């Protein structure tokens, strides 16, 4: 179902909706607290972004009422009020996280991904977003993240990563990879696949992150989380 944004300021709605859409999120909007509460209770949203200062019913009330009926729904509160009392009040009402305005869309997107991962491993299911472990790849925005940090990939590295992510748990031969990523339909004896896999591994495994691309001896490569298979490394 995606994300419910409960916010009454049109400019803020526009910025958040446009920014989060670029990160691959699907956004629905409610312009006041009462409408937001009804939408949250009537639909199966993955997460709610809830402003504190809302017409009809404030965000604190909305959060408490959502939490009474949907205990596991992630909720992040937005507010211009940054005092400790206000933050504590928001968290005590049942919010999972609290972000003070103004904020950067990248930070909001990172917090959303963290909350969605905490939700029992449930991910936002969209055709243009693929995940494995803490890696996320958005085929629409052409951005990949590892542990909420954007990876600096060349166009070729992104195509290679996209091919691996879309074919998780499949052993891919070098010929298959050449045909799909480089559009080469025969083996020229080139080691370009191995070179680029090494480039990609270095970026994916930066700062000791778990290995995702494994070599299958005599066969090619596989992307998977479990590296205990004796035929891979």
């Amino acid at each position: 179902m995606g994300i419910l944004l409960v916010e009454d300021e049109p400019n803020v709605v526009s910025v958040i909706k446009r920014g989060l859409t670029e990160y691959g999120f699907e956004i629905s909007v409610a312009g006041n607290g009462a409408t937001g509460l009804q939408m949250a209770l009537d639909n199966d949203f993955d997460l709610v972004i809830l402003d504190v200062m809302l017409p009809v019913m404030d965000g604190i009330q909305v959060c408490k009422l959502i939490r009474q009926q949907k205990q596991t729904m992630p909720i992040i509160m937005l507010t211009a009020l940054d005092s400790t009392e206000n933050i504590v009040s928001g968290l005590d009402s049942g919010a999972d996280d609290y972000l003070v305005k103004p904020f950067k869309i990248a930070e909001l997107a990172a917090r959303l991904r963290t909350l969605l991962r905490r939700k029992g491993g449930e991910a936002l299911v969209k055709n243009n977003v693929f995940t494995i472990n803490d890696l996320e790849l958005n085929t629409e925005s052409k951005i990949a993240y590892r542990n909420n940090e954007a990876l600096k990939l060349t166009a070729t590295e992104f195509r290679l990563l996209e091919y691996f992510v879309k074919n998780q748990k499949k052993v891919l031969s070098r010929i298959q990879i050449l045909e799909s990523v480089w559009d080469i339909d025969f083996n020229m004896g080139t080691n370009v696949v191995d070179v680029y896999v090494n480039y990609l591994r270095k970026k994916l495994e930066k700062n000791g992150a778990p290995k995702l691309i494994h070599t299958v001896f005599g066969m090619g490569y596989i992307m998977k989380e479990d590296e205990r298979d004796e035929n891979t490394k």
Side-chain angles (χ1 to χ4, degrees):
M1 191 67 193
I3 304 261
L4 173 62
L5 170 62
V6 188
E7 169 65 63
D8 65 312
E9 296 183 33
N11 291 340
V12 176
V13 170
S14 177
V15 170
I16 292 177
K17 189 172 183 180
R18 183 174 64 251
L20 291 183
T21 298
E22 291 178 358
Y23 279 92
F25 294 102
E26 181 179 331
I27 310 297
S28 298
V29 178
N32 63 66
T35 301
L37 174 63
Q38 198 63 51
M39 289 177 67
L41 297 181
D42 289 348
N43 300 280
D44 188 23
F45 288 103
D46 295 285
L47 184 147
V48 176
I49 302 173
L50 182 61
D51 190 30
V52 171
M53 304 298 290
L54 291 167
V56 185
M57 181 183 297
D58 68 54
I60 300 295
Q61 290 176 289
V62 174
C63 187
K64 288 178 179 178
L65 293 171
I66 291 175
R67 192 56 74 220
Q68 286 176 10
Q69 296 191 43
K70 296 195 173 184
Q71 296 183 2
T72 62
M73 177 179 282
I75 300 173
I76 181 168
M77 301 197 79
L78 307 178
T79 184
L81 308 173
D82 61 353
S83 72
T84 300
E85 273 187 13
N86 289 312
I87 293 174
V88 170
S89 177
L91 295 175
D92 283 350
S93 70
D96 298 282
D97 201 356
Y98 200 98
L99 195 55
V100 177
K101 298 175 182 178
F103 52 83
K104 294 183 178 179
I105 293 296
E107 180 181 2
L108 176 59
R111 295 200 185 199
L112 297 186
R113 290 193 295 269
T114 298
L115 289 176
L116 288 167
R117 279 200 297 271
R118 289 178 190 168
K119 189 185 172 186
E122 296 178 31
L124 205 60
V125 180
K126 289 176 60 65
N127 292 332
N128 62 322
V129 178
F130 296 82
T131 63
I132 176 171
N133 196 272
D134 59 355
L135 172 70
E136 282 193 13
L137 182 143
N138 188 314
T139 58
E140 187 173 294
S141 65
K142 303 298 182 184
I143 301 175
Y145 301 88
R146 190 82 202 263
N147 192 26
N148 291 326
E149 181 179 347
L151 300 176
K152 296 180 180 179
L153 303 175
T154 65
T156 301
E157 290 168 347
F158 184 89
R159 289 198 306 271
L160 179 58
L161 180 59
E162 181 179 356
Y163 185 60
F164 274 123
V165 172
K166 288 182 176 179
N167 292 277
Q168 296 175 38
K169 301 181 181 179
K170 296 179 183 178
V171 176
L172 304 172
S173 70
R174 290 170 176 80
I175 297 298
Q176 286 176 299
I177 296 172
L178 280 171
E179 291 176 349
S180 300
V181 178
W182 280 270
D183 198 24
I184 297 174
D185 59 4
F186 58 92
N187 188 352
M188 303 191 314
T190 177
N191 67 340
V192 65
V193 172
D194 301 307
V195 170
Y196 271 87
V197 166
N198 285 333
Y199 288 160
L200 197 52
R201 278 175 164 168
K202 288 179 181 178
K203 293 183 179 182
L204 290 175
E205 297 168 21
K206 184 181 176 182
N207 299 323
K211 182 184 291 187
L212 294 177
I213 299 175
H214 309 273
T215 302
V216 183
F217 294 111
M219 300 180 71
Y221 297 98
I222 186 172
M223 173 169 272
K224 62 176 186 175
E225 294 186 64
D226 184 5
E227 58 180 302
R228 291 175 294 179
D229 189 324
E230 62 181 6
N231 295 316
T232 66
K233 74 171 186 177

